[in-house]
């Protein structure tokens, strides 16, 4: 009778060990999933921040390009005015000669 009790106790320990191992594996699987999701969320936030920086950089580039275009237009206007003035002076000097 003692052998049978010991045998049943050994069988119970094996089942308990299996249940414990399955429980531990489930816990670690849950932990891995949670860490994975946190990492995915962090990566998505970083990509969104980078996208925002690119958008701001594009807006700044557009503004600088518009400013440069305006400066170029002013330079052309000033150069045209200087050429007219020089032409006028040349014409006046030819008339004086």
């Amino acid at each position: 009778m003692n052998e049978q009790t010991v045998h049943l106790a050994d069988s119970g320990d094996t089942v308990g060990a299996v249940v414990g191992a399955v429980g531990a594996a489930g816990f670690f699987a849950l932990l891995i999933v949670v860490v994975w999701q946190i990492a995915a969320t962090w990566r998505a936030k970083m990509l969104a921040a980078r996208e925002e920086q690119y958008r701001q950089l594009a807006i700044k580039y557009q503004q600088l390009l518009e400013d440069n275009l305006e400066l170029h237009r002013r330079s052309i206007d000033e150069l045209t005015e200087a050429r007219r003035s020089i032409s006028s002076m040349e014409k006046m000097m030819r008339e004086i000669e």
Side-chain angles (χ1 to χ4, degrees):
M1 192 158 171
N2 280 341
E3 288 180 26
Q4 192 176 24
T5 305
V6 171
H7 183 63
L8 289 174
D10 287 342
S11 176
D13 286 342
T14 305
V15 171
V18 169
V19 169
V22 169
F27 175 75
F28 286 119
L30 177 67
L31 207 62
I32 289 170
V33 168
V34 167
V35 169
W36 188 280
Q37 289 302 314
I38 289 171
T41 302
W42 176 78
R43 184 173 184 262
K45 286 181 182 179
M46 296 303 290
L47 289 175
R50 185 183 305 166
E51 187 67 29
E52 178 64 23
Q53 288 174 345
Y54 285 150
R55 189 182 65 76
Q56 290 175 357
L57 187 61
I59 289 171
K60 184 177 180 181
Y61 177 72
Q62 180 184 4
Q63 291 171 348
L64 289 174
L65 191 59
E66 289 172 358
D67 291 345
N68 191 20
L69 189 62
E70 179 63 26
L71 288 173
H72 184 65
R73 188 191 58 75
R74 286 183 191 172
S75 297
I76 289 174
D77 290 345
E78 289 176 7
L79 184 58
T80 302
E81 187 61 36
R83 285 183 180 166
R84 283 185 198 147
S85 182
I86 291 171
S87 285
S88 157
M89 289 173 65
E90 285 177 349
K91 186 178 180 182
M92 188 175 27
M93 293 193 65
R94 284 189 193 128
E95 289 175 1
I96 293 176
E97 290 178 358

